[in-house]
């Protein structure tokens, strides 16, 4: 019988679409692992059924305000969720600013395993696994100290960015952004209540034209009056409404202007420099930290940047003065989380284990460790160097198709000091490393091209 995963998330004009979008990315990967995914919301959302998942609805709580909601509202929502579920499920995943340990303790009546996806920290949780793909600067790893139970597994940082699986594939095909940028993407997410898209378009009028300007609005409801006329006034501009995925437009871009949230990690994954305007104070921490580390450009809060502010930033972009995104996100974050939500049950010691030679697209596997930007830069430089040094080969360890570690191998064998830990994707993790090291050999002789054979029984290296 397929495991059942119940997801509780919401979307709407007030809270945006970010929670639901990232849960749909996770849901698709859980379904690929054989799960039946049921998404519980306070209103029907066609995106859920379009993705092939069941959508159950619960009543909106009248006093559901604040972060978190009052205890009575949380309990009412949890009990409505339990009633709609109609019985026990294997896992409950909650991604909601209004719900905390009160809701989580109540839903344990129907699930032995509860998972939270969070951004805020500071709330007590009653979960077995907590995921936060954000980075708030050095010390981010300690944000949940004292708020989760003993033994709760933490998956923290951009390595676990909850992006749609398409991003992992598109990243392999991405090329460096042109400088100066020729193609611009303007997108402020599923909603744009402050009308920031209009401000950017006004800043573009009368400027030297981009070859292409893609303006993406999340829904017809978010299409402000007069916006279509503004788009028509910008040479090379075209308007898209309610795209199924932003990924293809983002891949085509040399520069993106938009909101923070999950879009930050989407842009970094596809190596697109960005001008970021934060639409909510709770999202400013991540953008501020990235900007202070020299990893992105923070324009400011919505309503504060203005036409002149965007024009000044566009001038900087034309001069090639904006920072390039670091190699922190490879697009496999949601897959890593899916493995942790539903751990693999191997049929044998070699099940799911694969070794292959690394390519440039694998830099995040080596780089996205810890929370020190200087360490990321150093790791990225070393990784790039190792790919071209004749006497060094970098091997990627994959578990169930997910890149999990990079091993630096020389003629003398694996460089133990360079070995990154393998993610705890399943209960085999503790025994995998020794198995991997036993299989690495360097079949080299004088005059033969330097190469590595990464051998798994019945499978040669790439």
């Amino acid at each position: 019988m397929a495991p059942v995963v119940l997801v509780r998330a919401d979307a709407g004009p007030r809270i945006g679409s970010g929670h639901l979008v990232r849960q749909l990315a996770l849901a698709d990967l859980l379904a690929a692992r054989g799960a039946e995914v049921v998404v519980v919301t306070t209103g029907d959302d066609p995106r859920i059924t379009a993705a092939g998942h069941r959508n159950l609805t619960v009543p909106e709580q009248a006093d559901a305000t604040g972060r978190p909601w009052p205890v009575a509202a949380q309990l009412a929502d949890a009990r409505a969720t339990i009633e709609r579920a109609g019985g026990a499920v294997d896992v409950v995943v909650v991604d909601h600013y209004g719900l905390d340990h009160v809701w989580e303790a109540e839903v344990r009546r129907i699930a032995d395993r509860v998972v939270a996806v969070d951004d805020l920290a500071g709330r007590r949780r009653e979960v077995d696994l907590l995921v936060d793909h954000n980075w708030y600067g050095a010390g981010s790893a300690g944000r949940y100290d004292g708020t989760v139970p003993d033994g709760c597994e933490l998956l923290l940082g951009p390595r676990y960015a909850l992006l749609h699986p398409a991003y992992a594939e598109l990243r392999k095909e991405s090329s460096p952004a042109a400088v100066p940028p020729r193609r611009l993407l303007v997108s402020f997410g599923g909603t744009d209540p402050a009308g920031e898209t209009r401000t950017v378009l006004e800043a573009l009028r009368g400027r030297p034209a981009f070859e292409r300007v893609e303006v993406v609005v999340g829904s017809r409801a978010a299409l402000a009056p007069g916006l279509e006329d503004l788009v028509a006034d910008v040479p090379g501009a075209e308007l898209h409404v309610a795209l199924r995925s932003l990924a293809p437009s983002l891949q085509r871009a040399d520069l993106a202007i938009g909101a923070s949230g999950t879009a930050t990690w989407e842009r970094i994954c596809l190596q697109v420099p960005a001008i970021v305007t934060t639409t909510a104070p709770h999202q400013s921490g991540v953008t501020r930290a990235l900007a202070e580390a020299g990893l992105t450009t923070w324009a400011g809060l919505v309503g504060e940047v203005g036409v002149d502010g965007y024009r000044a930033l566009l001038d900087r972009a034309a001069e090639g003065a904006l920072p390039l995104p670091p190699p922190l996100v490879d697009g496999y974050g949601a897959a890593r989380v899916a493995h942790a939500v539903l751990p693999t049950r191997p049929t044998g010691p070699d099940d799911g284990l694969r070794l292959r030679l690394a390519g440039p697209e694998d830099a995040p596997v080596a780089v996205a460790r810890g929370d020190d930007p200087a360490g990321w830069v150093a790791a990225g430089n070393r990784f790039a160097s190792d790919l071209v040094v004749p006497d060094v080969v970098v091997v990627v360890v994959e578990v169930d198709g997910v890149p999990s570690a990079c091993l630096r191998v020389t003629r003398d064998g694996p460089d133990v000091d360079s070995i990154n830990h393998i993610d705890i994707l399943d209960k085999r993790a503790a025994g995998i490393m020794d198995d991997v090291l036993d299989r690495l050999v360097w079949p080299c002789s004088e005059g033969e091209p330097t190469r590595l054979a990464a051998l798994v029984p019945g499978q040669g290296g790439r």
Side-chain angles (χ1 to χ4, degrees):
M1 183 179 296
V4 178
V5 179
L6 184 148
V7 175
R8 178 69 180 93
D10 277 327
R14 184 173 56 85
I15 64 172
S17 300
H19 299 277
L20 183 60
V21 167
R22 66 188 183 188
Q23 286 310 309
L24 288 177
L26 179 60
D28 287 350
L29 287 157
L30 291 169
R33 293 176 65 76
E36 177 188 351
V37 181
V38 180
V39 184
V40 178
T41 60
T42 54
D44 290 317
D45 195 302
R47 290 172 292 185
I48 297 170
T49 52
H53 311 300
R54 278 203 295 151
N55 183 194
L56 304 178
T57 61
V58 292
E60 189 168 354
Q61 301 301 316
D63 59 346
T65 59
R67 296 174 177 166
W69 293 348
V71 169
Q74 291 198 58
L75 289 175
D77 189 277
R79 290 163 186 167
T81 298
I82 290 169
E83 181 180 355
R84 294 292 284 128
V89 299
D90 293 273
V91 185
V92 169
V93 179
V94 56
D95 186 349
H96 202 295
Y97 288 161
L99 308 176
D100 65 4
H101 69 99
V102 173
W103 190 94
E104 292 152 358
E106 187 70 12
V107 298
R108 281 198 183 276
R109 291 165 45 192
I110 60 168
D112 292 330
R113 185 166 173 79
V114 180
V115 178
V117 177
D118 202 356
D119 303 304
L120 303 179
R123 294 181 288 171
R124 183 179 158 202
R125 311 307 305 236
E126 183 57 49
V127 294
D128 306 288
L129 170 68
L130 184 139
V131 183
D132 184 344
H133 64 197
N134 295 294
W135 179 74
Y136 288 84
S140 293
R143 295 176 66 236
Y144 290 92
D145 291 351
T147 66
V148 297
D150 292 342
C152 175
E153 184 181 354
L154 299 175
L155 302 183
L156 306 178
R159 182 173 178 75
Y160 303 101
L162 290 164
L163 308 187
H164 189 277
Y167 281 89
E169 295 305 313
L170 288 174
R171 189 178 193 281
K172 298 173 186 177
E173 305 167 6
S174 294
S175 55
V179 180
R182 300 192 302 268
R183 298 157 297 183
L184 173 66
L185 172 66
V186 180
S187 173
F188 283 88
T191 61
D192 182 12
E196 209 71 11
T197 304
R198 172 187 290 275
T199 306
V200 173
L201 288 170
E202 290 174 349
L204 288 169
R205 287 202 296 188
R207 293 185 53 84
F210 287 86
E211 291 180 8
R212 181 173 188 169
V213 179
E214 294 192 56
V215 181
V216 179
V217 176
S219 66
R220 281 284 167 191
L223 186 58
L227 192 65
E228 291 171 290
D229 292 336
L230 273 174
V231 172
D233 286 343
V234 176
E238 54 188 286
L239 177 65
H240 305 291
V241 180
L243 289 179
R244 182 177 178 87
S245 171
L246 190 64
S249 296
L250 191 55
Q251 188 195 29
R252 290 189 290 265
D254 300 311
L255 173 66
I257 302 178
S260 53
T262 300
T264 292
W265 310 120
E266 293 172 345
R267 292 185 292 253
I268 288 176
C269 180
L270 297 184
Q271 307 172 76
V272 180
I275 296 170
V276 184
T277 306
T278 47
T279 59
H282 70 269
Q283 293 179 336
S284 297
V286 173
T287 306
R288 179 186 292 109
L290 290 169
E292 289 176 350
L295 304 178
T296 195
T297 300
W298 183 27
L301 286 169
V302 294
E304 297 180 357
V305 185
V307 173
D308 291 341
Y310 282 118
R311 284 177 177 162
L313 290 166
L314 286 165
D315 287 341
R316 288 182 55 197
E319 296 164 359
L322 299 187
L324 299 176
L328 290 178
V329 180
D330 61 3
Y332 287 97
R336 295 184 180 102
V337 174
H339 280 72
V341 172
L342 286 179
T344 301
R345 296 171 177 80
T347 58
D350 300 320
D351 181 38
L353 176 63
R354 176 175 179 253
L355 311 181
R356 60 173 175 80
L357 301 185
E361 70 278 6
D362 294 307
V365 186
V367 173
R369 304 285 184 175
D371 59 7
D372 175 23
W376 295 338
V377 172
N381 290 339
R382 184 177 190 183
F383 179 84
S385 174
D386 285 344
L387 291 185
V388 297
V389 172
D391 289 339
V392 176
V393 174
V394 182
V395 179
V396 174
V397 182
E398 291 185 352
V399 180
D400 294 337
V402 180
S404 299
C406 277
L407 309 183
R408 184 174 184 270
V409 185
T410 69
R411 290 177 181 271
D412 297 327
D415 179 357
V416 177
D417 290 338
S418 77
I419 294 174
N420 291 312
H421 76 280
I422 286 188
D423 289 316
I424 303 176
L425 301 179
D426 53 48
K427 299 303 181 184
R428 294 173 295 159
I432 284 178
M433 186 59 75
D434 288 341
D435 196 25
V436 168
L437 298 182
D438 287 344
R439 299 179 188 191
L440 295 178
V441 296
W442 186 286
C444 247
S445 61
E446 293 299 326
E448 182 182 358
T450 301
R451 63 186 182 88
L452 178 90
L455 301 178
V456 174
Q459 174 188 317
R462 186 178 69 181

